[in-house]
Amino acid sequence: MATEFLRDLPVPVPEQKELWGSDAIAAMLRALDIPYLALNPGASYRGLHDSIVNYLGNERPQMLLCLHEESAVAIAHGYAKASGRMMGVVLHSNVGLMHGSMAIFNAWCDRVPMLILGATGPWDAARRRPWIDWIHTASDQGALVRDYTKWDNQPGSVPAAYEALLRAVQMADTAPRGPTYINLDAALQEAKIGPLPPLPEVSRYQPPPPVFPAKEVVEKAAQLLSSARNPVILVGRVSRSEAAWKERIALAEKLQAKVFTDIKTPASFPTDHPLHAAPPSTFPDGAQLREADVILALDCIDTAGTLKATWGDEPVRSKVIRVSVDAHLHRGWSADYQGLPPSDVYLMCEPDIAVPLLIDAVRSRPAPVSPKAESKQEKDEAVSIRALARALNELTSGMDVCISKLPLGWNGAYRHFRHPMDYLGADGGGGVGAGPGLTVGAALALKGTQRMVVGIVGDGDFLMGNTALWTATHYKLPCLILIANNRSFYNDEMHQERVAKERGRPVENKWIGQRIDEPDIDLAMMARAQGAIGIGPVKQLSELKPALEDAIKHVKGGAVCVVDVRVMPGYDSNMSPTPPAATRR
Ligand SMILES: Cc1ncc(C[n+]2csc(CCOP(=O)(O)OP(=O)(O)O)c2C)c(N)n1
Ligand SMILES: [Mg+2]
């Protein structure tokens, strides 16, 4: 890629005689090896802001200015997914935290590590500036995000801040991973301190190595799998490791097990492998799973929901082997799983640990697998998401691509994933507006590599999160955003249609309060306004390939490029759950 990633360079700062609380906090961030801080500014952390620029010289960590807190968090989310590494976010007092909160929820549901720094105060009311410091100080600010962060703290001194940061980073990066929040009192940041209090030895506070299951439990799982007639593997949250990817293939092949993957999670198994039984989907098709006598659930997001889709109210007749540490994170506030799955064997470890142990312990099952039916090619007349996928597939054939986001109308059969970096999964929490930020975060992680980042987003998603683009253009983070623009919050049109049908009311009115037209929004112009290349609107099928070709050329040349593709409304995905096979007529 042609262009250089940008760092805003401060003028040199004369040697400092005085140090401030926030200098110590900044030094700790560097010791913790936090590479970037995505932020939108605010006076509650003006002390820390100054320390990053004038004490650290805006490097390690480097600031990334974002136009909205929601995109700051989404960028950190996308970065962690693509790099496997955590970065930081700084959010201004209560209001910045409120703006960022939906994206924090998305990151929580996606089990993504992130260090979120906040600020408040001065907590000492006698030291507050009139009005603004008062309205922007809230008691127990962490409560705003406590239910969807792993830990939060408001340290009262520099040594306490050191420890809070150490713990926040260690916990965020311990599986199951997730965001942590440290709220920095403005008075602590702006207090003059003497010499820098000695920094702790960070190497002594690393996250623990992965936990291994007991040998007997692995044996029990292996026995079940080895004697299964129709074993099935459900793959959910797994790492981006290539070695672990190959091991999952080896296990599936040794067992001749059918494999099902989830479009909400990143690429986890080659979708064109003969054992990959169905395109990755949002909801499982239970009918296919009824045949399974043994199910190996590799941190499946929702094993109980999958079993419910399979068996309905009947007892679950397959044996279930559950491999997951996720229950460590489950609490009462919300559930991103539909129930408690039965576990005939429960390996409380990460899939990357369990799979090689199982490969060694299971017996080969040479059972033949029936060949998969070739999917038939349909001809598109108008521009549809399917046509968009086909054009992209053709133009990127043989190219390394990382799909950072897919639109709701995408069907998992549209594109194959053959490498752990081919696809990064969904937004975690179903919070619309994440697509552009996730894409920019992935572009930050993959800058300088040959892998082109492509986010395919809905127009609603783009409109809510598009100002993340400016961060990409300013810092020169090449990426391609394709907008599957149906000029509607179409998912919800379908809901209005369903309700109207149920109530015997006119379906024709489903568009009201949903369509985004009259005037049509020029999305390419919104991209151009932020320094990106904006192409479109592409309205005819004949214009699609030349537009995408052009866009890919721009991105390969180092640009941020957006193509507004006007697609027909209509879904070919399984965005509605299938009724349980047991109750289906
Ligand atoms: C923050 C947020 N607001 C509203 C919703 C409800 N919602 C779910 S999908 C959707 C439509 C998204 O529109 P778009 O990205 O254009 O995709 P389309 O449905 O048109 O395929 C909405 C509004 C949500 N999930 N998150
Ligand atoms: Mg739409």
Side-chain angles (χ1 to χ4, degrees):
M1 309 249 176
T3 41
E4 280 277 298
F5 173 62
L6 182 101
R7 182 164 68 85
D8 296 320
L9 286 178
V11 299
V13 181
E15 200 179 331
Q16 300 294 291
K17 293 202 186 70
E18 305 264 29
L19 289 185
W20 308 84
S22 56
D23 293 334
I25 292 165
M28 189 67 218
L29 292 174
R30 179 172 283 176
L32 285 163
D33 205 19
I34 298 295
Y36 304 108
L37 295 172
L39 56 83
N40 186 264
S44 60
Y45 71 87
R46 62 188 189 179
L48 180 66
H49 199 121
D50 170 72
S51 298
I52 302 293
V53 175
N54 290 317
Y55 182 63
L56 296 186
N58 194 25
E59 60 180 337
R60 295 182 298 124
Q62 176 192 339
M63 286 183 180
L64 296 177
L65 179 58
C66 302
L67 305 189
H68 195 295
E69 288 84 356
E70 196 174 285
S71 42
V73 177
I75 286 170
H77 182 172
Y79 176 83
K81 289 224 275 194
S83 69
R85 248 187 105 181
M86 129 177 46
M87 61 175 265
V89 176
V90 200
L91 302 176
H92 171 49
S93 69
N94 49 3
V95 282
L97 184 61
M98 289 172 193
H99 251 188
S101 59
M102 184 204 81
I104 297 174
F105 176 68
N106 274 347
W108 161 263
C109 293
D110 216 14
R111 310 294 187 253
V112 160
M114 191 182 296
L115 176 65
I116 302 165
L117 303 174
T120 189
W123 184 240
D124 177 357
R127 301 178 59 193
R128 287 180 203 162
R129 294 173 298 151
W131 185 61
I132 191 75
D133 275 351
W134 286 82
I135 54 169
H136 284 172
T137 302
S139 6
D140 196 11
Q141 192 164 285
L144 280 170
V145 293
R146 186 162 300 137
D147 288 311
Y148 41 98
T149 45
K150 284 187 79 175
W151 187 67
D152 68 277
N153 191 248
Q154 184 175 317
S157 66
V158 166
Y162 283 170
E163 184 170 322
L165 290 167
L166 276 175
R167 188 193 292 267
V169 167
Q170 186 186 59
M171 283 185 71
D173 224 3
T174 300
R177 294 167 187 82
T180 50
Y181 176 69
I182 303 296
N183 190 17
L184 301 165
D185 184 352
L188 168 64
Q189 297 175 57
E190 298 190 22
K192 224 180 243 187
I193 56 174
L196 191 73
L199 288 162
E201 216 179 303
V202 171
S203 60
R204 300 182 72 188
Y205 299 88
Q206 295 302 303
V211 173
F212 278 65
K215 206 165 166 246
E216 308 80 70
V217 194
V218 177
E219 259 322 303
K220 212 171 143 194
Q223 273 166 20
L224 272 181
L225 287 165
S226 303
S227 53
R229 273 173 301 102
N230 287 308
V232 156
I233 304 178
L234 304 176
V235 199
R237 298 181 175 109
V238 292
S239 77
R240 302 297 84 234
S241 149
E242 252 181 83
W245 170 276
K246 287 182 184 148
E247 278 157 352
R248 284 190 295 277
I249 299 173
L251 178 64
E253 287 177 351
K254 191 164 181 190
L255 290 170
Q256 286 298 305
K258 281 190 182 163
V259 178
F260 293 84
T261 58
D262 187 330
I263 197 114
K264 297 191 289 306
T265 59
S268 57
F269 198 84
T271 53
D272 54 356
H273 191 286
L275 288 166
H276 191 257
S281 63
T282 308
F283 297 103
D285 180 356
Q288 293 213 55
L289 293 171
R290 274 179 86 92
E291 311 277 291
D293 55 343
V294 178
I295 290 178
L296 172 64
L298 296 177
D299 209 2
C300 177
I301 292 187
D302 188 4
T303 307
T306 303
L307 295 171
K308 208 180 278 180
T310 308
W311 298 103
D313 295 331
E314 289 178 43
V316 174
R317 285 207 288 274
S318 12
K319 295 279 183 203
V320 180
I321 303 165
R322 182 178 177 196
V323 179
S324 175
V325 293
D326 205 51
H328 286 310
L329 214 66
H330 295 178
R331 4 220 170 128
W333 187 74
S334 78
D336 40 28
Y337 38 85
Q338 293 178 53
L340 184 66
S343 321
D344 299 286
V345 185
Y346 191 168
L347 284 79
M348 204 164 210
C349 66
E350 292 173 271
D352 282 13
I353 298 301
V355 169
L357 299 176
L358 288 172
I359 294 176
D360 288 345
V362 296
R363 279 192 310 277
S364 294
R365 289 184 63 263
V369 175
S370 50
K372 267 204 305 184
E374 279 296 306
S375 61
K376 61 177 188 324
Q377 293 275 310
E378 283 161 37
K379 218 168 167 269
D380 281 289
E381 301 302 336
V383 185
S384 60
I385 300 183
R386 180 194 292 263
L388 172 60
R390 217 173 266 162
L392 180 73
N393 293 346
E394 205 181 311
L395 294 171
T396 57
S397 148
M399 214 183 260
D400 281 342
V401 170
C402 173
I403 302 285
S404 51
K405 183 74 172 64
L406 288 172
L408 292 169
W410 188 271
N411 183 304
Y414 287 172
R415 186 179 172 89
H416 280 303
F417 306 131
R418 303 184 176 95
H419 184 276
M421 288 305 291
D422 280 357
Y423 173 54
L424 295 181
D427 48 34
V432 172
L438 291 173
T439 302
V440 174
L444 174 66
L446 298 181
K447 66 183 158 56
T449 71
Q450 285 307 308
R451 196 173 275 274
M452 179 173 66
V453 175
V454 182
I456 312 175
V457 304
D459 49 322
D461 195 22
F462 181 78
L463 284 163
M464 287 196 205
N466 80 84
T467 55
L469 279 181
W470 180 84
T471 303
T473 55
H474 179 75
Y475 296 100
K476 305 196 188 309
L477 304 169
C479 54
L480 175 58
I481 291 185
L482 306 176
I483 308 168
N485 182 2
N486 50 20
R487 281 145 292 144
S488 173
F489 293 106
Y490 184 73
N491 176 70
D492 290 79
E493 273 195 54
M494 295 196 301
H495 281 293
Q496 296 323 124
E497 181 174 328
R498 242 168 259 146
V499 173
K501 278 185 182 155
E502 194 178 305
R503 298 179 179 182
R505 295 174 182 176
V507 163
E508 294 73 14
N509 292 334
K510 65 174 183 174
W511 63 275
I512 296 175
Q514 307 280 359
R515 287 282 165 91
I516 315 170
D517 58 9
E518 294 183 26
D520 258 18
I521 304 177
D522 188 339
L523 302 180
M525 195 190 278
M526 291 178 83
R528 286 196 289 276
Q530 298 176 71
I533 309 268
I535 298 175
V538 174
K539 293 181 172 168
Q540 309 285 332
L541 197 53
S542 58
E543 302 165 353
L544 181 60
K545 248 171 64 183
L548 294 191
E549 225 159 12
D550 197 23
I552 291 169
K553 216 176 293 158
H554 283 299
V555 176
K556 285 285 177 190
V560 177
C561 184
V562 173
V563 189
D564 175 0
V565 183
R566 300 290 169 92
V567 298
M568 296 177 304
Y571 278 5
D572 184 22
S573 58
N574 72 338
M575 274 312 291
S576 301
T578 359
T583 58
R584 203 183 294 156
R585 301 248 178 268

